[in-house]
Amino acid sequence: MTTRTAFTVTVNPKIPARLSRLEELASNLWYSWDRGTRNLFSRIDPRLWGAVGHNPKAFLKRVDESLLQKAAEDQTFLASYNSVLSAYDSYHSEPLRYTHFEEFGPRDQVAYFCFEFGFHESLPVYSGGLGILAGDHCKAASDLCLPFVAVGLLYRQGYFFQTIDSLGNQQVSYTDSEFEDLPVEPALNDDGSEIHVQVSLPGRKVMVKVWRATIGHVSLYLLDTDLPENPLKDRMITHQLYGGDRTMRIEQEIILGIGGVTALGEMGIQPTVWHSNEGHAAFMMLERARKLVQQGLDFASAAEAVAVNTVFTTHTAVPAGHDSFSKAMMHDYFASFCQDLKISWEEFMALGHIPGSDDFNMTALAIHLSRTHNGVSKIHGDVSARICRDLWPQIEPEENPMTYITNGVHVPTFLAQEWSDLFDRYLGYEWRNKMCDKDFWLRIDTIPDHLFWSIRQTLKSQMFYGIRARLAEQNARNRGSEAHLDRLLKLVDPINPNVLVLGFARRFATYKRATLLFENLDWLRKILLDTEHPVLLIFAGKAHPADIPGQDLIRKVSYVSRMPEFEGRILLVENYDMRLARRLVAGVDVWLNNPIYPLEASGTSGMKAGINGTLNLSVLDGWWEEGYDGKNGWAVKPASDDTEAVLRDKDESQSFYEILQDQVIPMFYRRGKFGYSSEWVKMAKYSMASLLPRYNAARMVSEYVKKFYGPANKQGMHYAKDAFANAKLIAAWKAKVKSAWKGVSLRRLDTPGKRIDFGETMDFKVAAKLNGLQPEDVIVELLLCRQYKKMRLNSFKHVHFKFAGIDSNGEHLFELNYVPDLCGKQEYYLRIYPYHPLLIHPLEMGRMVWL
Ligand SMILES: *Cc1c(COP(=O)(O)O)cnc(C)c1O
C-alpha cells in the first residue's frame, strides 16, 4: 500500500455583484421568519438548500458558481431578490427604537439571558420549548423596535439528532457545527480585534470569545470557550447543550451569567433592565452585585440595586426541575467570589436556600436577586407561587409577588406562508401591525370557506410530502422493504389529503403522557380503523438522552405503531426540530396535548397550531386553560388533583376517546357538496381569529414591557440615582424590619358587633406592638368580602387603617371607620405588614401578622 497525504482546499464561490447582498441576507436571522428570503436560496439550488439544512451561510459557501451566475441573469429571480431587499430595508430602517414604548429612553436597554435560543434550524443552539420561546421573544422585541440585547452560549454541538431504530430505540448523534457556517460572527472591538473576556473558575481563568448573531434590530451575544488558549477541559464547557455532568452545568451557568455580564461591560453595553429567562442565568445577578460592591456599596444595598431592575421568569412546574448545586460544589466555585461580595459564607448560601435542602437553588437565587418574577401562564403563575412560597414565609401564595405572563409565539415564524399571502389579500398588509387587535382578526370570517379549506388542504399535503421523505429514509435505514413503506404511507397521500390527521409532537417527557391515547387500545382501534372515516395519528419528539422513562415512551409509541392493525395509522417521525414543527402544526387537522395537570407550564406548540387554523384538543392546562373559550377547539377537564394516577389516566383518556368519536370525527367528515365540512371550517376560522391576537409574541413582549421592563427601568434609575441613595435606604429599612418583626403583634380594642344596619359605620380600633418600627413602616389593613365559597384574597376589599396615636404602654393605635357598601353576611380579616414606598411589591418582605 502506498501512503498519501490528503490536502484540502476550499473554493469560495464568488457572489456576482448583482446579488452581492445575499451575504447580508444570510447573516441576519431575519431570514428565520422571512420565507421570501429563504426561498431565494432554495430557488438557486433546491437540492443543496436541503443538503445544508436550510442554512443560507453554508449554502453560499458551497453553491455552484454557474447557478449563481444564472440567477444573476434571471429576471424573475432578480425581481424576487429586489422585493426581498426592499422589505428587508424597510424593516431595518424602521424609525429605530423608542418609538413604540414611551417607557424607554435613548439610553435604556433590556438584556435578556437564556441558556438556549431557537430561531431556526440553521442555528442549532436550542432543544425545545424554552429556547424557541426565547427566540420568539427576541424576534418580537425586534419587530417592536425594543432596545434589547440577548446573551447565550454558542454550543459546538447544540442538541442531538435523533433517529429511531426498528425496535423503537432512540439513537442519538451529534454533529459539530462549523461556526463559519452559522449566522454568527465574532463580536469586535472598535479597533477590529475580537472581543475575548476572562472568567475565573477554581484555580484558573477561562478565555471566552464573544460571537454576535443579528436578529433584525436585535443583537444576540453568544459565548464560546472553545479557544486554543484554553485547556481541553475548558474548551469543552460550551461543547454541548444540556450535556455533561453537574460540573459542566455549573461551569456553563457561570460562563453565561458571569461571562455574559463581563462581555456586555467589555462592549460598553449598559442595560437598564436585566431578564433571566429560567434560573440557568441567575449568576448574572451575583456578578452585577459584585461590581457594585467593588464600587464601594455594601452587599445588601448592592443586592437591592441589582434586584430592582431584574426580571426572572420560571418555566418549570415541578420543584425537581429547578436547577441546584451541592454545597461542596458551590464552595469550590464561589468561596472567593463570596469574599468579593464581602458577606459570610452562610449569608451567601442563604441566597440559594430552600427549606428541606442543603443545595444552592438557582430559582431561590433568582428570586432573591430580582423584584419581578413570573410564571408563563395563569395556572403556572399559581403553581410557581406555591412552589416558591417559602421565600415569602408569612404570605399566602395567592398574594405573594410571583405573577405570570402567558407565553406567545412569533407569528411570522410559525404562520405558514400560504396564510400570510391570504391575509394580505383579505385583510390587507396592515395585519402585521394589528397583531393584538381582537376585533380586526374577526375579519378572518370574510375569507371564503372554500379558500380557507383549500389552504388547509395545501398545508396538509405539503406536510405529507415532508413526512413521506422522512419516513422513506427511516424505513430504508431500518431495512424495511418498499412494500412495507407503501403500507406505512397508505394514508399519507399528498394528492388526496382527505384523511383526518391528529398530531402529537413535543419532548417525550413523562408528564406530557405521549401514550395516553394507548390506555384502551380496543377503543383506539375502533376510532382509527373506521373504514369510512379514517384517522391518522402522527407522533414526533425527542427524549433527553438521560431520560430513560422518556425513551420508554418512544419505544411504546413505536411498538404500538408497528402492531399490524395500526401500521400506517400511527406514525412516528424522527428528529423533531423547528422545521418539522412548522410543518406539523400547520398541516395536521387536530393538535393533541394531554399533560398531567398542572405540569404543563404553558405549552406553545398548540398556539402555533391555533394560528394556522389547526384545532386544539387538549387538557385544560397551561395556556389552553386560558385560550379555550368553548367554541375554538375541544377541551378535556383534568381529573381532580387527588385522583390516583391510574384512574386519572383512565378518566382523561376516556374523555379524549369520547370527544374524538362523538365530536371531532363526525364533524370533520360531515362534508358538504364541495367536499369539506362547513362546520369544521367555521370552527377553524373562529379558532384562528380568537387565538392569533392573544397568543402571539408581540402581545407577550408588550406585556413584559408594560408590566415589567418599564417599571423596572424606572425604579432601577430611582434606586441608582445619587450614588444609590434609595438602594441604601431600602436595604437599611429592610434590615431594620427584619430584626424588629419578631416582636410585632396586633390586638383588637373595639368590640366587634355581629349585626349592623346598612349605612351604619363599623368602628375598628387596634393596638400594635411595633418593636421599634414607626407607624409609617407598616400598614394595618382590613380585608372584607361577602361570604361566598372560598374567595381568593385579591377579591377582598382592602382598606387601610389610620394611625391614631400612642397609648400609655407604648402601643401604637390604629383606627378605621368603615361603612360596608354591601348587605348580607360578610367575612373580614385584620392584618399588619411592613411597608415602604420604595418597595416594588407591597408584600416583598414576606412578613405579615394576621389577627
Ligand atoms: C414549539 C416547539 C416546542 C415546544 O412545544 P410544547 O408544546 O411547548 O411542548 C418544542 N420543540 C419544537 C421544535 C417546537 O417548535
Side-chain angles (χ1 to χ4, degrees):
M1 197 130 81
T2 54
T3 53
R4 55 186 184 187
T5 307
F7 300 97
T8 66
V9 56
T10 305
V11 182
N12 285 328
K14 253 177 52 201
I15 313 281
R18 193 67 196 78
L19 301 179
S20 62
R21 292 188 68 196
L22 279 179
E23 282 183 310
E24 187 181 346
L25 292 174
S27 306
N28 188 327
L29 279 150
W30 191 67
Y31 71 70
S32 69
W33 68 90
D34 188 77
R35 282 185 183 68
T37 307
R38 300 209 295 272
N39 289 343
L40 288 180
F41 297 103
S42 77
R43 268 168 71 181
I44 297 174
D45 184 350
R47 198 199 44 78
L48 177 64
W49 178 244
V52 296
H54 313 107
N55 177 334
K57 230 170 139 182
F59 179 89
L60 285 185
K61 289 225 176 99
R62 290 160 180 80
V63 63
D64 219 344
E65 190 67 36
S66 64
L67 293 175
L68 281 176
Q69 295 299 345
K70 209 169 106 201
E73 279 150 32
D74 174 345
Q75 288 311 313
T76 58
F77 183 87
L78 288 174
S80 309
Y81 173 72
N82 289 333
S83 94
V84 163
L85 279 181
S86 107
Y88 178 90
D89 288 337
S90 79
Y91 182 90
H92 288 89
S93 67
E94 174 109 345
L96 243 181
R97 301 197 188 301
Y98 328 125
T99 45
H100 294 59
F101 298 105
E102 60 205 30
E103 287 87 346
F104 285 85
R107 270 195 291 270
D108 300 334
Q109 191 164 38
V110 180
Y112 180 91
F113 284 58
C114 192
F115 216 43
E116 51 168 313
F117 286 90
F119 299 100
H120 185 252
E121 56 272 21
S122 58
L123 183 55
V125 292
Y126 67 94
S127 84
L130 177 71
I132 293 163
L133 180 86
D136 283 4
H137 199 105
C138 297
K139 291 171 180 175
S142 168
D143 294 345
L144 295 166
C145 296
L146 182 68
F148 189 94
V149 291
V151 180
L153 298 178
L154 186 58
Y155 301 99
R156 180 61 67 180
Q157 294 196 325
Y159 210 48
F160 66 93
F161 289 86
Q162 175 201 51
T163 55
I164 297 171
D165 73 15
S166 57
L167 296 174
N169 302 307
Q170 167 174 284
Q171 308 291 344
V172 167
S173 61
Y174 290 90
T175 350
D176 283 3
S177 292
E178 290 287 349
F179 290 166
E180 305 88 82
D181 281 353
L182 300 186
V184 296
E185 60 203 5
L188 302 178
N189 287 306
D190 289 341
D191 64 6
S193 59
E194 290 186 355
I195 294 180
H196 289 207
V197 295
Q198 282 189 341
V199 176
S200 298
L201 289 180
R204 61 201 202 266
K205 291 214 186 298
V206 179
M207 288 302 279
V208 180
K209 174 168 172 176
V210 185
W211 297 79
R212 188 166 68 110
T214 304
I215 303 102
H217 297 300
V218 164
S219 291
L220 161 67
Y221 295 99
L222 293 167
L223 310 177
D224 165 26
T225 63
D226 189 5
L227 304 175
E229 304 90 291
N230 289 329
L232 183 63
K233 181 167 86 138
D234 291 340
R235 296 182 70 155
M236 295 296 284
I237 295 175
T238 53
H239 196 62
Q240 218 177 61
L241 171 60
Y242 301 131
D245 55 8
R246 298 310 293 166
T247 299
M248 180 173 280
R249 178 60 72 84
I250 198 172
E251 292 183 352
Q252 289 183 337
E253 296 191 6
I254 289 173
I255 298 296
L256 173 61
I258 297 177
V261 173
T262 313
L264 292 180
E266 185 71 22
M267 292 182 287
I269 295 170
Q270 297 178 319
T272 50
V273 174
W274 301 71
H275 188 164
S276 178
N277 195 42
E278 240 333 334
H280 307 117
F283 290 141
M284 72 150 160
M285 304 166 197
L286 288 178
E287 176 61 14
R288 289 179 58 212
R290 173 161 71 175
K291 285 189 157 176
L292 293 177
V293 171
Q294 279 165 353
Q295 288 172 30
L297 233 55
D298 62 293
F299 176 74
S301 307
E304 293 300 330
V306 166
V308 67
N309 59 5
T310 301
V311 177
F312 166 59
T313 304
T314 168
H315 291 262
T316 319
V318 277
H322 294 251
D323 232 351
S324 64
F325 299 106
S326 74
K327 219 167 151 177
M329 194 171 220
M330 286 304 290
H331 197 267
D332 289 346
Y333 285 90
F334 284 93
S336 89
F337 195 105
C338 170
Q339 287 168 5
D340 292 351
L341 295 177
K342 303 195 174 132
I343 52 175
S344 71
W345 183 244
E346 289 66 37
E347 286 171 281
F348 181 85
M349 285 302 288
L351 291 169
H353 176 73
I354 49 165
S357 165
D358 274 349
D359 286 356
F360 188 91
N361 183 290
M362 294 300 280
T363 302
L365 173 67
I367 290 178
H368 276 125
L369 292 183
S370 64
R371 289 290 168 260
T372 313
H373 343 275
N374 71 299
V376 290
S377 69
K378 187 164 186 299
I379 295 178
H380 182 243
D382 289 345
V383 168
S384 304
R386 269 180 275 140
I387 293 179
C388 303
R389 64 188 304 162
D390 295 319
L391 296 162
W392 304 277
Q394 296 178 331
I395 310 295
E396 295 288 328
E398 63 190 80
E399 277 194 307
N400 75 24
M402 181 61 75
T403 164
Y404 74 96
I405 287 179
T406 304
N407 286 162
V409 296
H410 188 243
V411 171
T413 300
F414 289 103
L415 184 73
Q417 174 79 48
E418 285 72 8
W419 287 123
S420 65
D421 292 346
L422 194 74
F423 290 169
D424 285 346
R425 254 171 81 194
Y426 282 87
L427 310 178
Y429 284 96
E430 81 261 28
W431 66 266
R432 294 172 179 79
N433 302 324
K434 299 273 188 190
M435 219 52 109
C436 305
D437 183 338
K438 289 176 193 158
D439 291 336
F440 177 85
W441 288 97
L442 291 174
R443 286 205 234 157
I444 285 185
D445 204 39
T446 61
I447 297 171
D449 282 2
H450 68 277
L451 260 183
F452 187 95
W453 182 248
S454 79
I455 302 259
R456 296 276 327 140
Q457 293 287 85
T458 307
L459 294 172
K460 197 194 287 189
S461 153
Q462 284 174 5
M463 171 187 76
F464 278 172
Y465 279 116
I467 286 182
R468 289 185 80 89
R470 286 207 188 205
L471 285 175
E473 210 184 297
Q474 221 165 302
N475 183 62
R477 185 169 358 90
N478 291 334
R479 298 168 201 280
S481 64
E482 283 292 317
H484 182 66
L485 184 64
D486 287 345
R487 180 178 277 211
L488 280 186
L489 296 179
K490 204 168 74 187
L491 289 177
V492 187
D493 179 358
I495 311 295
N496 272 311
N498 288 319
V499 57
L500 172 66
V501 186
L502 316 178
F504 183 101
R506 49 184 55 81
R507 273 185 309 124
F508 275 96
T510 41
Y511 78 86
K512 297 201 183 233
R513 285 193 300 191
T515 56
L516 187 76
L517 280 184
F518 301 162
E519 274 293 309
N520 183 334
L521 284 181
D522 288 330
W523 202 338
L524 183 64
R525 209 170 272 127
K526 278 203 203 91
I527 292 174
L528 297 190
L529 297 192
D530 187 320
T531 38
E532 258 176 72
H533 299 149
V535 178
L536 177 65
L537 180 51
I538 298 176
F539 285 93
K542 295 174 179 176
H544 188 279
D547 180 5
I548 305 300
Q551 288 164 53
D552 287 342
L553 289 177
I554 297 181
R555 256 186 295 272
K556 186 159 174 197
V557 171
S558 162
Y559 175 78
V560 174
S561 76
R562 282 179 282 119
M563 291 168 70
E565 69 268 40
F566 288 126
E567 253 171 1
R569 307 276 169 168
I570 299 179
L571 299 173
L572 174 57
V573 186
E574 296 170 337
N575 203 41
Y576 185 51
D577 65 358
M578 286 189 76
R579 175 174 151 76
L580 183 58
R582 284 196 305 270
R583 291 206 173 213
L584 289 179
V585 295
V588 307
D589 298 293
V590 176
W591 194 254
L592 298 172
N593 193 16
N594 43 33
I596 299 174
Y597 174 91
L599 299 185
E600 184 73 295
S602 163
T604 50
S605 58
M607 302 174 183
K608 301 169 192 166
I611 63 171
N612 280 291
T614 297
L615 290 170
N616 279 280
L617 162 51
S618 296
V619 167
L620 288 175
D621 191 12
W623 80 283
W624 190 233
E625 195 270 337
E626 296 156 55
Y628 176 64
D629 71 359
K631 296 178 297 186
N632 56 359
W634 297 275
V636 170
K637 233 180 114 178
S640 65
D641 279 359
D642 49 7
T643 315
E644 243 180 281
V646 179
L647 276 182
R648 181 194 57 210
D649 289 356
K650 189 160 170 284
D651 280 4
E652 293 176 12
S653 61
Q654 182 171 339
S655 298
F656 273 94
Y657 296 135
E658 287 172 350
I659 293 174
L660 283 171
Q661 215 164 27
D662 302 343
Q663 302 179 43
V664 178
I665 299 171
M667 192 207 272
F668 183 84
Y669 281 108
R670 243 180 332 260
R671 290 180 169 158
K673 60 176 188 280
F674 298 114
Y676 60 87
S677 156
S678 55
E679 281 165 89
W680 190 277
V681 170
K682 186 163 171 238
M683 193 167 182
K685 277 180 167 179
Y686 175 69
S687 161
M688 218 165 168
S690 69
L691 299 178
L692 194 149
R694 286 157 71 197
Y695 298 99
N696 66 69
R699 189 272 307 149
M700 170 177 73
V701 172
S702 302
E703 241 184 281
Y704 274 97
V705 173
K706 300 269 174 239
K707 292 190 182 156
F708 296 171
Y709 297 160
N713 193 40
K714 199 164 140 219
Q715 287 291 60
M717 282 184 272
H718 194 47
Y719 272 37
K721 71 174 185 224
D722 306 329
F724 294 98
N726 283 327
K728 291 177 191 161
L729 206 142
I730 195 76
W733 180 82
K734 284 188 177 178
K736 177 177 82 171
V737 169
K738 270 182 203 157
S739 69
W741 196 254
K742 277 194 207 72
V744 170
S745 65
L746 202 60
R747 172 164 84 82
R748 191 164 176 187
L749 299 178
D750 63 292
T751 353
K754 283 274 182 210
R755 193 172 276 282
I756 57 168
D757 289 333
F758 183 78
E760 256 183 74
T761 309
M762 298 173 77
D763 297 316
F764 295 99
K765 190 164 184 179
V766 297
K769 280 206 182 87
L770 294 186
N771 195 24
L773 299 179
Q774 299 305 307
E776 59 271 21
D777 291 331
V778 296
I779 283 179
V780 179
E781 195 173 52
L782 161 77
L783 270 71
L784 178 123
C785 185
R786 196 132 55 160
Q787 213 172 28
Y788 176 74
K789 285 196 203 145
K790 180 150 172 38
M791 297 299 296
R792 285 176 71 102
L793 290 171
N794 66 8
S795 47
F796 279 71
K797 194 177 277 272
H798 293 54
V799 198
H800 293 178
F801 280 64
K802 279 206 176 64
F803 174 56
I806 304 181
D807 72 5
S808 52
N809 48 25
E811 282 182 303
H812 288 75
L813 302 175
F814 292 85
E815 287 177 355
L816 170 67
N817 307 317
Y818 181 70
V819 184
D821 53 4
L822 293 171
C823 293
K825 191 165 183 178
Q826 328 220 352
E827 193 172 293
Y828 67 91
Y829 299 91
L830 302 176
R831 66 187 190 180
I832 181 170
Y833 57 86
Y835 182 76
H836 194 286
L838 281 172
L839 292 179
I840 307 306
H841 187 282
L843 304 182
E844 78 184 49
M845 286 290 299
R847 308 282 198 287
M848 178 176 286
V849 176
W850 294 85
L851 245 192

mmCIF file of all heavy atoms in Angstrom, residues 193-213:
data_model
loop_
_atom_site.group_PDB
_atom_site.id
_atom_site.type_symbol
_atom_site.label_atom_id
_atom_site.label_comp_id
_atom_site.label_asym_id
_atom_site.label_seq_id
_atom_site.Cartn_x
_atom_site.Cartn_y
_atom_site.Cartn_z
ATOM 1 N N SER A 193 -10.321 44.171 16.654
ATOM 2 C CA SER A 193 -9.900 42.916 17.285
ATOM 3 C C SER A 193 -11.117 42.217 17.900
ATOM 4 O O SER A 193 -12.106 42.851 18.234
ATOM 5 C CB SER A 193 -8.856 43.211 18.362
ATOM 6 O OG SER A 193 -9.413 44.080 19.329
ATOM 7 N N GLU A 194 -11.002 40.900 18.040
ATOM 8 C CA GLU A 194 -12.119 40.130 18.587
ATOM 9 C C GLU A 194 -12.280 40.398 20.073
ATOM 10 O O GLU A 194 -11.299 40.620 20.786
ATOM 11 C CB GLU A 194 -11.852 38.636 18.392
ATOM 12 C CG GLU A 194 -11.931 38.206 16.944
ATOM 13 C CD GLU A 194 -11.806 36.690 16.802
ATOM 14 O OE1 GLU A 194 -11.565 36.008 17.826
ATOM 15 O OE2 GLU A 194 -11.945 36.205 15.668
ATOM 16 N N ILE A 195 -13.505 40.330 20.531
ATOM 17 C CA ILE A 195 -13.736 40.531 21.952
ATOM 18 C C ILE A 195 -13.610 39.201 22.682
ATOM 19 O O ILE A 195 -14.310 38.236 22.379
ATOM 20 C CB ILE A 195 -15.123 41.152 22.194
ATOM 21 C CG1 ILE A 195 -15.117 42.553 21.601
ATOM 22 C CG2 ILE A 195 -15.476 41.166 23.679
ATOM 23 C CD1 ILE A 195 -16.371 43.306 21.752
ATOM 24 N N HIS A 196 -12.648 39.162 23.595
ATOM 25 C CA HIS A 196 -12.479 37.996 24.452
ATOM 26 C C HIS A 196 -12.567 38.480 25.897
ATOM 27 O O HIS A 196 -12.031 39.541 26.208
ATOM 28 C CB HIS A 196 -11.114 37.346 24.232
ATOM 29 C CG HIS A 196 -10.999 36.654 22.896
ATOM 30 N ND1 HIS A 196 -10.164 35.603 22.672
ATOM 31 C CD2 HIS A 196 -11.636 36.861 21.721
ATOM 32 C CE1 HIS A 196 -10.278 35.188 21.421
ATOM 33 N NE2 HIS A 196 -11.160 35.955 20.818
ATOM 34 N N VAL A 197 -13.217 37.734 26.741
ATOM 35 C CA VAL A 197 -13.221 38.111 28.153
ATOM 36 C C VAL A 197 -12.777 36.910 28.974
ATOM 37 O O VAL A 197 -12.759 35.780 28.489
ATOM 38 C CB VAL A 197 -14.622 38.579 28.633
ATOM 39 C CG1 VAL A 197 -15.024 39.861 27.934
ATOM 40 C CG2 VAL A 197 -15.675 37.506 28.430
ATOM 41 N N GLN A 198 -12.398 37.197 30.228
ATOM 42 C CA GLN A 198 -11.939 36.131 31.105
ATOM 43 C C GLN A 198 -12.956 35.877 32.196
ATOM 44 O O GLN A 198 -13.540 36.806 32.736
ATOM 45 C CB GLN A 198 -10.642 36.559 31.782
ATOM 46 C CG GLN A 198 -9.443 36.433 30.874
ATOM 47 C CD GLN A 198 -8.164 36.645 31.653
ATOM 48 O OE1 GLN A 198 -8.180 37.206 32.753
ATOM 49 N NE2 GLN A 198 -7.061 36.196 31.088
ATOM 50 N N VAL A 199 -13.128 34.600 32.528
ATOM 51 C CA VAL A 199 -13.992 34.244 33.645
ATOM 52 C C VAL A 199 -13.184 33.351 34.577
ATOM 53 O O VAL A 199 -12.496 32.432 34.126
ATOM 54 C CB VAL A 199 -15.255 33.506 33.153
ATOM 55 C CG1 VAL A 199 -16.103 33.048 34.337
ATOM 56 C CG2 VAL A 199 -16.077 34.402 32.231
ATOM 57 N N SER A 200 -13.256 33.639 35.877
ATOM 58 C CA SER A 200 -12.495 32.834 36.835
ATOM 59 C C SER A 200 -13.259 31.572 37.188
ATOM 60 O O SER A 200 -14.435 31.627 37.547
ATOM 61 C CB SER A 200 -12.273 33.616 38.131
ATOM 62 O OG SER A 200 -11.529 34.764 37.860
ATOM 63 N N LEU A 201 -12.562 30.454 37.112
ATOM 64 C CA LEU A 201 -13.071 29.194 37.642
ATOM 65 C C LEU A 201 -12.012 28.739 38.641
ATOM 66 O O LEU A 201 -10.896 29.274 38.637
ATOM 67 C CB LEU A 201 -13.273 28.186 36.506
ATOM 68 C CG LEU A 201 -14.443 28.501 35.563
ATOM 69 C CD1 LEU A 201 -14.556 27.445 34.477
ATOM 70 C CD2 LEU A 201 -15.756 28.599 36.330
ATOM 71 N N PRO A 202 -12.318 27.753 39.480
ATOM 72 C CA PRO A 202 -11.362 27.400 40.538
ATOM 73 C C PRO A 202 -9.940 27.170 39.994
ATOM 74 O O PRO A 202 -9.744 26.324 39.120
ATOM 75 C CB PRO A 202 -11.938 26.106 41.106
ATOM 76 C CG PRO A 202 -13.397 26.218 40.838
ATOM 77 C CD PRO A 202 -13.530 26.958 39.553
ATOM 78 N N GLY A 203 -9.008 27.970 40.446
ATOM 79 C CA GLY A 203 -7.613 27.783 40.092
ATOM 80 C C GLY A 203 -7.220 28.195 38.688
ATOM 81 O O GLY A 203 -6.116 27.905 38.243
ATOM 82 N N ARG A 204 -8.103 28.836 37.983
ATOM 83 C CA ARG A 204 -7.740 29.172 36.601
ATOM 84 C C ARG A 204 -8.650 30.271 36.053
ATOM 85 O O ARG A 204 -9.690 30.577 36.632
ATOM 86 C CB ARG A 204 -7.865 27.939 35.713
ATOM 87 C CG ARG A 204 -9.288 27.385 35.686
ATOM 88 C CD ARG A 204 -9.286 25.940 35.245
ATOM 89 N NE ARG A 204 -10.576 25.514 34.716
ATOM 90 C CZ ARG A 204 -11.522 24.927 35.435
ATOM 91 N NH1 ARG A 204 -11.356 24.728 36.737
ATOM 92 N NH2 ARG A 204 -12.652 24.547 34.867
ATOM 93 N N LYS A 205 -8.204 30.791 34.919
ATOM 94 C CA LYS A 205 -9.066 31.737 34.221
ATOM 95 C C LYS A 205 -9.389 31.155 32.861
ATOM 96 O O LYS A 205 -8.522 30.621 32.175
ATOM 97 C CB LYS A 205 -8.336 33.065 34.037
ATOM 98 C CG LYS A 205 -8.107 33.816 35.345
ATOM 99 C CD LYS A 205 -8.193 35.308 35.103
ATOM 100 C CE LYS A 205 -7.829 36.144 36.318
ATOM 101 N NZ LYS A 205 -8.714 35.920 37.458
ATOM 102 N N VAL A 206 -10.655 31.248 32.472
ATOM 103 C CA VAL A 206 -11.066 30.709 31.185
ATOM 104 C C VAL A 206 -11.289 31.867 30.227
ATOM 105 O O VAL A 206 -11.902 32.871 30.588
ATOM 106 C CB VAL A 206 -12.383 29.911 31.328
ATOM 107 C CG1 VAL A 206 -12.829 29.367 29.989
ATOM 108 C CG2 VAL A 206 -12.204 28.790 32.328
ATOM 109 N N MET A 207 -10.745 31.718 29.016
ATOM 110 C CA MET A 207 -10.982 32.736 27.994
ATOM 111 C C MET A 207 -12.308 32.446 27.311
ATOM 112 O O MET A 207 -12.617 31.303 26.999
ATOM 113 C CB MET A 207 -9.886 32.695 26.930
ATOM 114 C CG MET A 207 -8.546 33.214 27.417
ATOM 115 S SD MET A 207 -8.666 34.909 27.996
ATOM 116 C CE MET A 207 -8.589 35.747 26.435
ATOM 117 N N VAL A 208 -13.058 33.497 27.070
ATOM 118 C CA VAL A 208 -14.356 33.345 26.444
ATOM 119 C C VAL A 208 -14.416 34.262 25.231
ATOM 120 O O VAL A 208 -14.137 35.457 25.334
ATOM 121 C CB VAL A 208 -15.480 33.738 27.429
ATOM 122 C CG1 VAL A 208 -16.846 33.578 26.785
ATOM 123 C CG2 VAL A 208 -15.395 32.921 28.709
ATOM 124 N N LYS A 209 -14.767 33.685 24.108
ATOM 125 C CA LYS A 209 -14.909 34.503 22.905
ATOM 126 C C LYS A 209 -16.375 34.898 22.743
ATOM 127 O O LYS A 209 -17.274 34.109 23.021
ATOM 128 C CB LYS A 209 -14.433 33.699 21.694
ATOM 129 C CG LYS A 209 -14.668 34.384 20.363
ATOM 130 C CD LYS A 209 -13.914 33.672 19.249
ATOM 131 C CE LYS A 209 -14.316 34.238 17.892
ATOM 132 N NZ LYS A 209 -13.515 33.631 16.809
ATOM 133 N N VAL A 210 -16.592 36.115 22.291
ATOM 134 C CA VAL A 210 -17.955 36.601 22.140
ATOM 135 C C VAL A 210 -18.325 36.632 20.656
ATOM 136 O O VAL A 210 -17.605 37.231 19.846
ATOM 137 C CB VAL A 210 -18.097 38.020 22.734
ATOM 138 C CG1 VAL A 210 -19.555 38.478 22.678
ATOM 139 C CG2 VAL A 210 -17.577 38.066 24.164
ATOM 140 N N TRP A 211 -19.405 35.965 20.325
ATOM 141 C CA TRP A 211 -19.927 35.994 18.962
ATOM 142 C C TRP A 211 -21.213 36.810 18.944
ATOM 143 O O TRP A 211 -21.873 36.950 19.969
ATOM 144 C CB TRP A 211 -20.251 34.582 18.482
ATOM 145 C CG TRP A 211 -19.078 33.656 18.391
ATOM 146 C CD1 TRP A 211 -18.482 32.993 19.430
ATOM 147 C CD2 TRP A 211 -18.374 33.276 17.202
ATOM 148 N NE1 TRP A 211 -17.445 32.218 18.957
ATOM 149 C CE2 TRP A 211 -17.357 32.363 17.602
ATOM 150 C CE3 TRP A 211 -18.512 33.603 15.854
ATOM 151 C CZ2 TRP A 211 -16.489 31.779 16.676
ATOM 152 C CZ3 TRP A 211 -17.647 33.014 14.945
ATOM 153 C CH2 TRP A 211 -16.634 32.121 15.354
ATOM 154 N N ARG A 212 -21.541 37.273 17.753
ATOM 155 C CA ARG A 212 -22.764 38.051 17.664
ATOM 156 C C ARG A 212 -23.669 37.489 16.566
ATOM 157 O O ARG A 212 -23.216 37.208 15.453
ATOM 158 C CB ARG A 212 -22.442 39.502 17.334
ATOM 159 C CG ARG A 212 -23.663 40.414 17.408
ATOM 160 C CD ARG A 212 -23.218 41.852 17.420
ATOM 161 N NE ARG A 212 -22.651 42.166 16.117
ATOM 162 C CZ ARG A 212 -23.234 42.965 15.231
ATOM 163 N NH1 ARG A 212 -24.361 43.549 15.517
ATOM 164 N NH2 ARG A 212 -22.667 43.194 14.070
ATOM 165 N N ALA A 213 -24.915 37.294 16.913
ATOM 166 C CA ALA A 213 -25.912 36.941 15.893
ATOM 167 C C ALA A 213 -26.851 38.127 15.773
ATOM 168 O O ALA A 213 -27.133 38.806 16.763
ATOM 169 C CB ALA A 213 -26.691 35.700 16.316
#
